[in-house]
Structures are given as structure tokens and as C-alpha cells.
Amino acid sequence: MSLINNVVRETKSLCPDCLKTIKASIYEKNGAMYMYKVCEEHGEFHTLVWEDTKENYLEWIEYGGEARDQNVNSNPRPTTHNCPHDCGICSDHVQNISTAALMTTNVCDVNCPICFTKDGQQGVYKPSNEELLNMASHYQDTFSSEHPIELCGGEPTTRDDLPELAKGLREMGFDHIQLNTNGIRISKDLDFLKALKESGVTVIYLGFDGFSDKVYEKKYGRKMLDVKLKAIENCKTAEIGVVLVPVVMKGVNDSSLGEIIEIAKKNMPTVRGVYFQPVSFFGNYPTAPSNDERITIPGVLSCLEEQTCGEVKKVHFMPAGSEHALCSFNALYALNKDNTLKAVTKYGPRGINEDSAKKVSEFNKRSWRYSKMKTLTIGGMHFQDVWNIDVERLRQCRLCIISEDERIIPLCTKYVTSTKGEKLYSGIS
């Protein structure tokens, strides 16, 4: 067993092989932070979690402030096995939910080599709109329709009845409906896109990983750049807001983050934001990752500052104020007349944040919907996988999956996948 020095936090995690809950320590080594954990049966694991010093790591957590939400869950599920084995939301959860994903299908029009929702053991999942609306009703009853809802998959646009689903959600009271898509259908079917907008979809959350088809061949197994650009053009025509969503993969597209910001600027105000996701290894991934393959929040921020020549700086970004500070980062910019970005936000302590989930929901509604105002949000979320999963982060999760068995499950818990391909919660929904 390794001798670990410079430990700054103790938490709990999962064994990557058997998914048992085990103790974990966060420690500094060579100016970066790692998670160390030991399973009695499967040995020890060291995983990179933060590409900066312990001083920066602890300050980031401190600056995330304290989120105080009222009525976190009026009817929590009882706990028997403890987090994360009793999700639903359970009585251990300490944060309200600010958005939830409705998994519309597991059918997809591409076969990506890397996919976090793919479950090879599940057959075709395509519930009726009535079933999906019933699931959304449970979410509404448990929390509220004032929070955004996301239409996810698979690929949701493989469903011809998606506009009818959006209309049903709008009639239930959901006024912010986000469509998560690869862009294929909306790039070639403008009428379908317009029907989605008319039915209640308010923002397109578009996978966009760079300005080179080599990136898309790595992620999707095919060329996709022309599809992505045409999807943005169609959204301009339909006047619906777009958020670009790059999955940041080290050695694949981490040198392209500045280019993505430039594409966003050129397509403002249709493009309302860029939301980076440092790659996490869950769902379908080819091999167990090494630490050399990982990029974390400080790594992404360093790339942004360097590749934009300081137009986007680390000091513009704030840690999460609703979920755990280590989960996400965000900044808001306005576009100057000389086509440069001016930061509205700056790094600093958040302090106490009352009703934080509600505030996040309201901010996303204001910022991501189509508008003539030339503002741009730049942020991201670092999802957890079985090697770096941290129970303290899970207990503050605000992004959940609406399950078909009426559970509301944190996304990272829902899709965490062992080295054997096993999950805590099977299926896509």
C-alpha cells in the first residue's frame, strides 16, 4: 500500500472494478491533485483530479461558497446502502435540482466509439410520449416545472414525434426545454427545427468539438464539421439559441478550444454559450484511462487563456455556486465593438448563496435563449467517472436523470461504469 502525504481532503468513492463504496483521499503530488483509494480485493488507484496546486484547489472550493436551498426534497427515498447506492433522490442529498434530463430514446443515428449513455445490454428504448410526460410529471411533482428540462438520448431527433413531446411539456408548465443533439437532423430538416421551436424547445445544446474533421472522426467515427456548421446556420434562420458543447479530449482537441471560442463569436447572438466538458470515462469507452489522458478544470482554463491570447482568462471564471465547487466553472462575456470579449464576471468568493438552484435555472433561461443581445456564457462541467467519483460531489449534484422507475438520479451516478462494463443503475433511463 502506498504511503500518501499532503492529504487535503477525505471522502468516499467507488472501486473501479467492483463498484463497492470505499474510502478515498485527495492529495497533492508534483503540483497537482490526485485521488487515492484502496479496495481490499482489487488494490489501489491513483487518479488525477485537479491540474494545479493544493492552494489553488482549496481556494477554488472555498470560493464556491455555501449553497443553501430550501425544500431540497419533500419526499426523499430512504437509505439502506448509503450514497451512491440509494439514489432516487435520497435523504443524503443536500442540494436541490436545477435541471433534469428526460431520456427520450437510446436510438442514435451515429455509432460513436465513446458514448456515456450507451448500454450494450439494453434493447431498443423508445417510450411513448405519454410515458415520457408521466415521468416529467413525477419530476414536476417532486421539484418544480420552473426548472429547465433536457431532451436527451441516444439522439432525440430520431423521434418524429419530438415536437409533440415538447408541446406536451410546455403545456405542463415547462418554459425552458433544452434539446441535446448531434445536429444531424436539424442540419438537413429546417421544417423539423422550426416545429421544435414552435412546440416549446427554447435552446439547442449542440455537440461541437472543434473545427477539424479529425476530431469528429475520433469521437463520432465519421466526418461531422459540415453538419455542425449547417445546424448553426439553420438555428440562425429559425431564431433559436445555441449552446456549443465540446467534449475536451487531451491530445485530440484540447489545442482547439480557442478556435471554438472564435466560432462562437462569429455566430453571436445565435450562439449563446460554449459549455466545455472535460472527457470522463463512463458508458462506452475502449480502455481504462491513464492519467496522461485526463484533462481537468484548471487544464481547460489554461488552454482557453493561452489559445485566446488572454482574451479569455482564468480570473474571469467562477466556481460553481449551486452544485459542488469542483463540478463546474462559468463566466459571462459581452462582445465589444472591436469583436473582442469583455468579461462581466471575475474570480472571487461567492459566499452564502440562497436558493442557488433556482438562481442557476433563471440565469440559464436568460442567458441561453435566443436574443439579439451579444452576450456569451463560457463554462463547463467536469462529470465524474468510476476512477474519480467523489461522494461529496454527488450529494450536491443538481443535474439529474429522470428515471422510468420514478427515481431522480444524479447523472454521474446513473452512468458510472466499472471496468467490466457494469453499472449501479442499468439502462439509459
Short mmCIF file of all heavy atoms in Angstrom, two decimals, residues 376-411:
data_model
loop_
_atom_site.label_atom_id
_atom_site.label_comp_id
_atom_site.label_asym_id
_atom_site.label_seq_id
_atom_site.Cartn_x
_atom_site.Cartn_y
_atom_site.Cartn_z
N LEU A 376 -22.22 36.17 -24.21
CA LEU A 376 -21.79 34.79 -24.37
C LEU A 376 -21.40 34.21 -23.01
O LEU A 376 -20.59 34.81 -22.30
CB LEU A 376 -20.57 34.72 -25.32
CG LEU A 376 -20.07 33.33 -25.68
CD1 LEU A 376 -21.04 32.64 -26.64
CD2 LEU A 376 -18.68 33.40 -26.32
N THR A 377 -22.00 33.10 -22.65
CA THR A 377 -21.56 32.39 -21.47
C THR A 377 -20.49 31.37 -21.90
O THR A 377 -20.63 30.71 -22.92
CB THR A 377 -22.71 31.65 -20.77
OG1 THR A 377 -23.24 30.66 -21.65
CG2 THR A 377 -23.82 32.61 -20.37
N ILE A 378 -19.43 31.28 -21.13
CA ILE A 378 -18.41 30.25 -21.32
C ILE A 378 -18.28 29.51 -20.00
O ILE A 378 -18.05 30.14 -18.96
CB ILE A 378 -17.06 30.83 -21.75
CG1 ILE A 378 -17.20 31.65 -23.04
CG2 ILE A 378 -16.03 29.71 -21.94
CD1 ILE A 378 -15.90 32.33 -23.49
N GLY A 379 -18.47 28.24 -20.03
CA GLY A 379 -18.40 27.46 -18.80
C GLY A 379 -18.16 26.00 -19.11
O GLY A 379 -17.72 25.63 -20.20
N GLY A 380 -18.45 25.17 -18.13
CA GLY A 380 -18.27 23.75 -18.35
C GLY A 380 -18.54 22.96 -17.10
O GLY A 380 -18.68 23.51 -15.99
N MET A 381 -18.64 21.67 -17.29
CA MET A 381 -18.87 20.75 -16.18
C MET A 381 -17.97 19.54 -16.35
O MET A 381 -17.88 18.97 -17.43
CB MET A 381 -20.34 20.33 -16.11
CG MET A 381 -20.66 19.39 -14.95
SD MET A 381 -22.44 19.21 -14.65
CE MET A 381 -22.80 20.79 -13.88
N HIS A 382 -17.30 19.17 -15.25
CA HIS A 382 -16.44 18.00 -15.26
C HIS A 382 -17.18 16.83 -14.61
O HIS A 382 -17.20 16.69 -13.39
CB HIS A 382 -15.14 18.29 -14.51
CG HIS A 382 -14.09 17.24 -14.75
ND1 HIS A 382 -12.86 17.25 -14.13
CD2 HIS A 382 -14.09 16.13 -15.54
CE1 HIS A 382 -12.16 16.21 -14.54
NE2 HIS A 382 -12.89 15.51 -15.38
N PHE A 383 -17.81 16.02 -15.47
CA PHE A 383 -18.53 14.86 -14.96
C PHE A 383 -17.55 13.85 -14.37
O PHE A 383 -16.37 13.80 -14.74
CB PHE A 383 -19.34 14.21 -16.08
CG PHE A 383 -20.46 15.08 -16.59
CD1 PHE A 383 -20.43 15.59 -17.88
CD2 PHE A 383 -21.52 15.41 -15.77
CE1 PHE A 383 -21.46 16.40 -18.36
CE2 PHE A 383 -22.55 16.22 -16.23
CZ PHE A 383 -22.51 16.72 -17.52
N GLN A 384 -18.06 13.01 -13.49
CA GLN A 384 -17.22 12.05 -12.79
C GLN A 384 -17.33 10.66 -13.41
O GLN A 384 -18.40 10.28 -13.90
CB GLN A 384 -17.64 11.97 -11.32
CG GLN A 384 -17.59 13.31 -10.61
CD GLN A 384 -18.05 13.20 -9.17
OE1 GLN A 384 -17.28 12.88 -8.28
NE2 GLN A 384 -19.31 13.48 -8.92
N ASP A 385 -16.24 9.92 -13.34
CA ASP A 385 -16.28 8.51 -13.75
C ASP A 385 -15.89 7.64 -12.56
O ASP A 385 -15.70 8.14 -11.45
CB ASP A 385 -15.37 8.26 -14.97
CG ASP A 385 -13.94 8.74 -14.77
OD1 ASP A 385 -13.37 8.47 -13.69
OD2 ASP A 385 -13.37 9.36 -15.69
N VAL A 386 -15.77 6.35 -12.79
CA VAL A 386 -15.59 5.43 -11.66
C VAL A 386 -14.25 5.59 -10.97
O VAL A 386 -14.09 5.20 -9.81
CB VAL A 386 -15.80 3.97 -12.15
CG1 VAL A 386 -14.59 3.47 -12.94
CG2 VAL A 386 -16.12 3.03 -11.00
N TRP A 387 -13.27 6.21 -11.65
CA TRP A 387 -11.95 6.40 -11.05
C TRP A 387 -11.89 7.64 -10.16
O TRP A 387 -11.20 7.65 -9.16
CB TRP A 387 -10.87 6.49 -12.14
CG TRP A 387 -10.61 5.16 -12.78
CD1 TRP A 387 -9.73 4.18 -12.36
CD2 TRP A 387 -11.24 4.63 -13.93
NE1 TRP A 387 -9.79 3.09 -13.18
CE2 TRP A 387 -10.71 3.34 -14.17
CE3 TRP A 387 -12.21 5.11 -14.81
CZ2 TRP A 387 -11.12 2.54 -15.23
CZ3 TRP A 387 -12.62 4.32 -15.87
CH2 TRP A 387 -12.07 3.05 -16.06
N ASN A 388 -12.63 8.68 -10.53
CA ASN A 388 -12.52 9.93 -9.76
C ASN A 388 -13.81 10.31 -9.03
O ASN A 388 -13.90 11.40 -8.47
CB ASN A 388 -12.08 11.09 -10.68
CG ASN A 388 -13.09 11.38 -11.78
OD1 ASN A 388 -14.24 10.96 -11.73
ND2 ASN A 388 -12.64 12.10 -12.81
N ILE A 389 -14.79 9.43 -8.99
CA ILE A 389 -16.08 9.79 -8.40
C ILE A 389 -15.92 10.09 -6.92
O ILE A 389 -15.22 9.39 -6.18
CB ILE A 389 -17.12 8.68 -8.66
CG1 ILE A 389 -18.53 9.20 -8.38
CG2 ILE A 389 -16.82 7.42 -7.85
CD1 ILE A 389 -19.62 8.33 -8.99
N ASP A 390 -16.57 11.17 -6.49
CA ASP A 390 -16.42 11.72 -5.15
C ASP A 390 -17.83 11.87 -4.57
O ASP A 390 -18.65 12.64 -5.07
CB ASP A 390 -15.73 13.09 -5.26
CG ASP A 390 -15.46 13.76 -3.92
OD1 ASP A 390 -16.18 13.47 -2.95
OD2 ASP A 390 -14.56 14.62 -3.87
N VAL A 391 -18.12 11.13 -3.51
CA VAL A 391 -19.46 11.11 -2.94
C VAL A 391 -19.90 12.50 -2.48
O VAL A 391 -21.08 12.86 -2.59
CB VAL A 391 -19.54 10.08 -1.79
CG1 VAL A 391 -20.79 10.29 -0.94
CG2 VAL A 391 -19.54 8.67 -2.35
N GLU A 392 -18.96 13.30 -1.97
CA GLU A 392 -19.34 14.64 -1.53
C GLU A 392 -19.83 15.50 -2.69
O GLU A 392 -20.73 16.33 -2.53
CB GLU A 392 -18.16 15.32 -0.83
CG GLU A 392 -17.81 14.70 0.51
CD GLU A 392 -19.02 14.65 1.44
OE1 GLU A 392 -19.68 15.68 1.62
OE2 GLU A 392 -19.31 13.56 1.97
N ARG A 393 -19.28 15.29 -3.87
CA ARG A 393 -19.77 15.98 -5.05
C ARG A 393 -21.15 15.46 -5.44
O ARG A 393 -22.04 16.24 -5.81
CB ARG A 393 -18.80 15.82 -6.22
CG ARG A 393 -17.52 16.63 -6.09
CD ARG A 393 -16.57 16.37 -7.25
NE ARG A 393 -17.18 16.72 -8.53
CZ ARG A 393 -16.58 16.50 -9.71
NH1 ARG A 393 -15.38 15.93 -9.75
NH2 ARG A 393 -17.20 16.83 -10.83
N LEU A 394 -21.35 14.16 -5.37
CA LEU A 394 -22.65 13.58 -5.73
C LEU A 394 -23.77 14.13 -4.86
O LEU A 394 -24.88 14.38 -5.35
CB LEU A 394 -22.61 12.06 -5.60
CG LEU A 394 -21.79 11.28 -6.62
CD1 LEU A 394 -21.83 9.80 -6.29
CD2 LEU A 394 -22.31 11.52 -8.03
N ARG A 395 -23.50 14.29 -3.58
CA ARG A 395 -24.54 14.73 -2.64
C ARG A 395 -25.00 16.16 -2.94
O ARG A 395 -26.07 16.58 -2.49
CB ARG A 395 -24.04 14.62 -1.20
CG ARG A 395 -23.80 13.18 -0.75
CD ARG A 395 -23.27 13.10 0.67
NE ARG A 395 -24.29 13.53 1.62
CZ ARG A 395 -24.09 14.46 2.55
NH1 ARG A 395 -22.91 15.08 2.63
NH2 ARG A 395 -25.04 14.79 3.40
N GLN A 396 -24.23 16.91 -3.70
CA GLN A 396 -24.60 18.26 -4.08
C GLN A 396 -24.98 18.37 -5.55
O GLN A 396 -25.11 19.48 -6.08
CB GLN A 396 -23.47 19.24 -3.77
CG GLN A 396 -23.25 19.48 -2.29
CD GLN A 396 -22.15 20.50 -2.04
OE1 GLN A 396 -21.16 20.22 -1.38
NE2 GLN A 396 -22.32 21.71 -2.57
N CYS A 397 -25.18 17.25 -6.22
CA CYS A 397 -25.47 17.29 -7.65
C CYS A 397 -26.81 17.97 -7.91
O CYS A 397 -27.79 17.72 -7.21
CB CYS A 397 -25.49 15.87 -8.21
SG CYS A 397 -25.82 15.81 -9.99
N ARG A 398 -26.86 18.80 -8.95
CA ARG A 398 -28.10 19.47 -9.32
C ARG A 398 -28.57 19.07 -10.72
O ARG A 398 -29.59 19.55 -11.20
CB ARG A 398 -27.92 20.99 -9.27
CG ARG A 398 -26.91 21.52 -10.26
CD ARG A 398 -26.95 23.05 -10.36
NE ARG A 398 -25.96 23.55 -11.30
CZ ARG A 398 -26.15 23.61 -12.62
NH1 ARG A 398 -27.28 23.18 -13.14
NH2 ARG A 398 -25.21 24.10 -13.41
N LEU A 399 -27.81 18.19 -11.42
CA LEU A 399 -28.17 17.73 -12.76
C LEU A 399 -28.48 16.24 -12.68
O LEU A 399 -27.59 15.43 -12.44
CB LEU A 399 -27.02 17.99 -13.74
CG LEU A 399 -27.15 17.36 -15.13
CD1 LEU A 399 -28.45 17.80 -15.81
CD2 LEU A 399 -25.95 17.72 -15.99
N CYS A 400 -29.73 15.90 -12.89
CA CYS A 400 -30.16 14.51 -12.68
C CYS A 400 -30.88 13.93 -13.89
O CYS A 400 -31.30 14.66 -14.79
CB CYS A 400 -31.08 14.44 -11.45
SG CYS A 400 -30.22 14.78 -9.90
N ILE A 401 -31.02 12.62 -13.86
CA ILE A 401 -31.74 11.86 -14.88
C ILE A 401 -33.10 11.48 -14.31
O ILE A 401 -33.20 10.98 -13.19
CB ILE A 401 -30.97 10.60 -15.28
CG1 ILE A 401 -29.54 10.94 -15.72
CG2 ILE A 401 -31.72 9.84 -16.39
CD1 ILE A 401 -29.45 11.84 -16.91
N ILE A 402 -34.16 11.71 -15.10
CA ILE A 402 -35.49 11.27 -14.70
C ILE A 402 -35.64 9.81 -15.11
O ILE A 402 -35.68 9.48 -16.29
CB ILE A 402 -36.58 12.12 -15.39
CG1 ILE A 402 -36.35 13.61 -15.11
CG2 ILE A 402 -37.96 11.70 -14.92
CD1 ILE A 402 -37.24 14.53 -15.93
N SER A 403 -35.69 8.94 -14.12
CA SER A 403 -35.70 7.51 -14.39
C SER A 403 -37.11 7.01 -14.65
O SER A 403 -38.09 7.55 -14.12
CB SER A 403 -35.09 6.76 -13.21
OG SER A 403 -35.18 5.37 -13.39
N GLU A 404 -37.22 5.96 -15.45
CA GLU A 404 -38.53 5.40 -15.76
C GLU A 404 -39.18 4.73 -14.55
O GLU A 404 -40.39 4.51 -14.54
CB GLU A 404 -38.43 4.39 -16.91
CG GLU A 404 -37.47 3.24 -16.67
CD GLU A 404 -37.32 2.35 -17.90
OE1 GLU A 404 -38.33 2.18 -18.62
OE2 GLU A 404 -36.22 1.82 -18.12
N ASP A 405 -38.40 4.44 -13.50
CA ASP A 405 -38.98 3.87 -12.28
C ASP A 405 -39.23 4.95 -11.22
O ASP A 405 -39.33 4.65 -10.04
CB ASP A 405 -38.09 2.75 -11.73
CG ASP A 405 -36.72 3.24 -11.30
OD1 ASP A 405 -36.44 4.45 -11.45
OD2 ASP A 405 -35.92 2.42 -10.82
N GLU A 406 -39.33 6.22 -11.69
CA GLU A 406 -39.67 7.36 -10.85
C GLU A 406 -38.58 7.75 -9.86
O GLU A 406 -38.84 8.40 -8.86
CB GLU A 406 -41.01 7.15 -10.12
CG GLU A 406 -42.20 7.04 -11.07
CD GLU A 406 -43.53 7.15 -10.35
OE1 GLU A 406 -43.56 6.99 -9.11
OE2 GLU A 406 -44.54 7.40 -11.03
N ARG A 407 -37.35 7.39 -10.14
CA ARG A 407 -36.23 7.90 -9.39
C ARG A 407 -35.68 9.14 -10.10
O ARG A 407 -35.81 9.28 -11.31
CB ARG A 407 -35.11 6.87 -9.27
CG ARG A 407 -35.47 5.61 -8.49
CD ARG A 407 -34.24 4.76 -8.31
NE ARG A 407 -34.52 3.53 -7.58
CZ ARG A 407 -33.62 2.87 -6.85
NH1 ARG A 407 -32.38 3.34 -6.77
NH2 ARG A 407 -33.93 1.77 -6.23
N ILE A 408 -35.09 10.02 -9.33
CA ILE A 408 -34.36 11.17 -9.87
C ILE A 408 -32.91 10.94 -9.49
O ILE A 408 -32.53 11.07 -8.32
CB ILE A 408 -34.88 12.50 -9.28
CG1 ILE A 408 -36.41 12.59 -9.40
CG2 ILE A 408 -34.20 13.67 -9.96
CD1 ILE A 408 -36.92 12.67 -10.81
N ILE A 409 -32.07 10.56 -10.46
CA ILE A 409 -30.73 10.05 -10.18
C ILE A 409 -29.66 11.00 -10.71
O ILE A 409 -29.70 11.39 -11.89
CB ILE A 409 -30.54 8.65 -10.82
CG1 ILE A 409 -31.61 7.69 -10.32
CG2 ILE A 409 -29.15 8.11 -10.53
CD1 ILE A 409 -31.56 6.33 -10.97
N PRO A 410 -28.70 11.43 -9.88
CA PRO A 410 -27.59 12.26 -10.38
C PRO A 410 -26.94 11.63 -11.60
O PRO A 410 -26.70 10.42 -11.64
CB PRO A 410 -26.64 12.31 -9.18
CG PRO A 410 -27.52 12.17 -7.99
CD PRO A 410 -28.60 11.20 -8.42
N LEU A 411 -26.64 12.46 -12.60
CA LEU A 411 -26.14 11.94 -13.87
C LEU A 411 -24.90 11.07 -13.70
O LEU A 411 -24.80 9.99 -14.29
CB LEU A 411 -25.85 13.11 -14.82
CG LEU A 411 -25.42 12.73 -16.24
CD1 LEU A 411 -25.91 13.77 -17.24
CD2 LEU A 411 -23.90 12.58 -16.38
#
